[in-house]
Amino acid sequence: MEQVITRFAPSPTGYLHIGGARTALFNWLFARHHGGKFILRIEDTDRERSTEESIRAILDAMQWLGMDWDEGPYYQTQRLDVYRDYLQRLLDKGLAYYCDCSPEDVERRRQEALKAGKKPKYDGRCRDKGLGPGPGRVVRFRCPQVGTTVLNDLIKGAIEFENSELDDLVLQRSDGYPTYNFAVVVDDVSMKVNYVIRGDDHVNNTPRQILLYQALEAPLPRFAHVPMILGPDRTRLSKRHGATSVMAYKDQGYLPEALVNYLARLGWSYGDQEIFSRQELIEKFDLDRVGASAGVFDQEKLLWLNAHYIKEKPAGEIAGLLKPFLAQRNYPEHDDAYLERAVTTLQPRCRTLQEMADAIAFYLVEEVDYDPKAATKFLKPELAAPLRSLIETLRGMEPFQEEELEKAFRRMAEEMGVKLGKIAQPVRVALTGVTASPGLFEIIDILGKETVLRRLEKALEFVEARAQ
RNA sequence: GGUCCCAUCGUCUAGCGGUCUAGGAUACUGGCCUCUCACGCCAGAGACACGGGUUCGAGUCCCGUUGGGACUACCA
């Protein structure tokens, strides 16, 4: 079997979004699965909207998601001579022609046709004028007007198009740059791309492209049009639906493993399996298990996957990834070992790194602030005595460790004739400021004797003040 | 308007004519665990859009209806 060659060809007119990322992922996975080649190509022929910044952002996102490419990035604007060469072949064969209709005229005639209830196609006015190159002139494809073009899509099956529906599309703009439909074909032909995997918003472009392949006498690639990703309102996912940029997910504290896993399962499935490592994805991914219908992007499920990967990853790695988020919050510095222990207790409790960076606050700040409700409910005046005795007990404890601490607390609760929770909750508030936290004894162990005693004494002062 | 695509729980999906009184995941609800919150475990509720065919038999095949989506540029 010939080597599989796929490509991802974004246009640098914005950030890499969720939909593009999935298209890239499917191409990447397909190539890796088949031991093929994955090419990255930047389609920057729209000089108005393409930006350097977007290119940077797309490359960053590809890298963050762990999708490496074997060739490229190629830039279409650096391949202008290639398009001219191919265009000349078409011109020489009479399969393309110059056209001097102004954009305004074409648009006006289009509107008129529409109003008259006809198809808004280019009317072929310059088809046989025999025009040569000149300022303001474009080159159009002499599109066959009879016959049927069939697209044998790997995902959707056979789709037929009447050539009479198609018109003479522009191949080269008046500024000399190729248009998308032409550049994409020339690139895929010259780069020997044999599997074109892209969003199904391109289905209607495909017959023209097939016709161009034929005009160029180039072998046809296999096409696979993957369904769109929709927002909750079932329209094409866009900024309106919230974060759609891949890097926005990084900033929100998502792990690339989670996003990759989620995106892979959106539109593709493998029996009942939900969790896939990158390696498993490469082993198991194939086009025959890609569904034909559009899917809604479900933030909740992504969150669940992210929580899964946060729990699963070694604490040391999570701690490292967490640092930038900590820096945003200006917490005091702590050593890695301490951070790692704190992270361990938070892993089952946080769905994103942002959540974790918030939750870890009490471990890192000098003094905690009490949540007013929590303080009112649990730091009551009658706690003064128990707190005093607790402080005494803890002061004398050596070693100051989780297991011993738990025993001491249980003993104390028993002596007082109350349930453990009765003293655990006030202490929790004293140490963390809130009523929900990791296990009390692991917290005490990690915070260390000095911090714990300091916070307990502050709590004692607080309850004593309330007593007056 | 025209062309094209799509249609199983709210969402992602399994299902490739009989084993489907439709399975899994997520979200939701209840319970267990428990020092709180999570995690985890158990249980529950929840779907084949509709109408015709084909067939001994249809979620599965065909047609239509309805609904949704995409495209219709000198954007990609």
Side-chain angles (χ1 to χ4, degrees):
Chain A
M1 182 183 161
E2 68 178 332
Q3 187 191 28
V4 165
I5 302 178
T6 67
R7 47 67 166 180
F8 175 53
S11 65
T13 54
Y15 302 99
L16 179 63
H17 54 89
I18 293 297
R22 191 189 57 165
T23 300
L25 181 63
F26 282 15
N27 275 285
W28 184 81
L29 286 173
F30 187 75
R32 291 289 169 266
H33 176 80
H34 290 287
K37 195 158 73 175
F38 176 60
I39 298 173
L40 182 62
R41 184 172 74 221
I42 306 296
E43 310 218 323
D44 56 352
T45 54
D46 183 345
R47 292 178 306 160
E48 302 276 303
R49 303 195 301 151
S50 297
T51 68
E52 202 58 46
E53 191 194 358
S54 296
I55 294 171
R56 186 71 256 159
I58 289 167
L59 264 29
D60 283 350
M62 290 290 289
Q63 190 182 19
W64 182 64
L65 289 174
M67 292 188 275
D68 54 339
W69 52 92
D70 306 299
E71 269 184 35
Y74 292 111
Y75 294 87
Q76 290 186 325
T77 49
Q78 289 169 207
R79 294 169 48 81
L80 265 23
D81 47 341
V82 180
Y83 309 120
R84 288 204 189 101
D85 175 40
Y86 277 80
L87 185 72
Q88 195 55 50
R89 293 188 208 176
L90 256 24
L91 250 9
D92 290 346
K93 285 195 281 186
L95 293 170
Y97 60 91
Y98 280 92
C99 163
D100 66 354
C101 296
S102 73
E104 297 75 29
D105 279 352
V106 171
E107 183 54 29
R108 188 176 43 74
R109 298 206 295 265
R110 186 192 311 283
Q111 292 303 331
E112 282 169 5
L114 208 52
K115 217 176 287 177
K118 292 196 236 162
K119 296 183 192 313
K121 304 196 306 179
Y122 173 67
D123 57 12
R125 180 164 307 205
C126 299
R127 259 196 165 208
D128 302 307
K129 279 189 185 166
L131 261 25
R137 291 183 182 175
V138 301
V139 177
R140 287 184 182 272
F141 179 50
R142 190 184 299 276
C143 196
Q145 288 303 292
V146 294
T148 306
T149 297
V150 3
L151 157 60
N152 282 109
D153 195 85
L154 260 20
I155 292 170
K156 309 213 180 243
I159 305 174
E160 293 188 2
F161 298 88
E162 291 305 319
N163 291 343
S164 56
E165 295 290 336
L166 278 18
D167 66 357
D168 289 356
L169 71 154
V170 172
L171 302 178
Q172 185 181 71
R173 295 191 264 251
S174 53
D175 65 3
Y177 279 68
T179 56
Y180 163 72
N181 278 300
F182 184 56
V184 78
V185 170
V186 169
D187 282 337
D188 286 340
V189 167
S190 60
M191 293 174 189
K192 300 193 163 44
V193 171
N194 49 17
Y195 282 84
V196 172
I197 304 168
R198 80 234 297 199
D200 72 6
D201 47 336
H202 287 285
V203 166
N204 286 314
N205 283 323
T206 309
R208 318 168 190 286
Q209 292 174 12
I210 289 175
L211 259 12
L212 279 170
Y213 273 94
Q214 289 168 350
L216 258 12
E217 294 175 73
L220 227 48
R222 310 278 270 159
F223 289 98
H225 287 96
V226 317
M228 301 270 84
I229 297 179
L230 275 23
D233 61 356
R234 302 206 76 93
T235 64
R236 189 188 181 136
L237 191 67
S238 74
K239 297 104 252 170
R240 293 200 327 278
H241 301 106
T244 53
S245 145
V246 165
M247 291 314 254
Y249 283 89
K250 181 191 181 195
D251 296 341
Q252 287 176 53
Y254 286 83
L255 266 26
E257 291 89 333
L259 197 53
V260 164
N261 193 152
Y262 179 73
L263 256 18
R265 272 290 281 101
L266 216 197
W268 172 81
S269 64
Y270 192 82
D272 284 342
Q273 191 172 343
E274 297 286 351
I275 306 287
F276 296 86
S277 68
R278 183 173 299 265
Q279 207 37 246
E280 261 180 309
L281 247 19
I282 291 171
E283 280 165 24
K284 293 173 172 170
F285 183 85
D286 215 334
L287 260 15
D288 55 0
R289 300 199 64 92
V290 174
S293 56
V296 173
F297 187 79
D298 183 6
Q299 194 87 272
E300 289 296 324
K301 192 150 184 181
L302 206 210
L303 225 29
W304 168 72
L305 275 167
N306 205 52
H308 168 82
Y309 284 103
I310 283 180
K311 279 194 279 282
E312 190 193 62
K313 225 184 218 319
E317 283 180 46
I318 295 290
L321 294 169
L322 190 63
K323 283 184 180 174
F325 297 92
L326 264 22
Q328 286 172 2
R329 276 153 245 247
N330 295 312
Y331 292 134
E333 288 288 328
H334 287 80
D335 64 62
D336 288 355
Y338 179 81
L339 208 56
E340 195 172 319
R341 294 185 71 198
V343 163
T344 303
T345 70
L346 294 170
Q347 276 174 296
R349 280 168 249 263
C350 300
R351 298 186 298 176
T352 67
L353 295 175
Q354 287 285 12
E355 279 183 18
M356 190 179 281
D358 287 332
I360 204 170
F362 77 87
Y363 278 118
L364 306 182
V365 297
E366 200 59 29
E367 293 297 336
V368 296
D369 296 321
Y370 299 141
D371 166 58
K373 272 200 215 144
T376 307
K377 183 167 179 193
F378 292 107
L379 297 181
K380 292 179 174 166
E382 59 265 35
L383 252 92
L387 264 179
R388 258 185 230 112
S389 98
L390 177 65
I391 289 168
E392 278 320 300
T393 308
L394 294 184
R395 203 187 301 280
M397 266 192 75
E398 207 64 56
F400 200 73
Q401 278 171 356
E402 188 172 341
E403 221 173 287
E404 302 307 315
L405 288 161
E406 176 153 5
K407 281 184 196 156
F409 268 79
R410 291 198 182 278
R411 202 181 311 125
M412 184 178 303
E414 206 172 322
E415 283 164 10
M416 289 168 61
V418 297
K419 286 200 160 188
L420 180 59
K422 207 73 185 164
I423 47 180
Q425 278 305 80
V427 173
R428 188 187 311 283
V429 175
L431 298 181
T432 69
V434 292
T435 56
S437 80
L440 188 61
F441 314 114
E442 52 183 352
I443 286 179
I444 296 177
D445 186 336
I446 293 166
L447 284 172
K449 191 187 267 191
E450 189 190 324
T451 303
V452 169
L453 288 176
R454 192 175 65 245
R455 290 187 188 174
L456 287 178
E457 271 157 14
K458 188 189 146 206
L460 180 57
E461 284 171 31
F462 182 88
V463 300
E464 281 171 342
R466 275 185 78 186
Q468 316 214 325

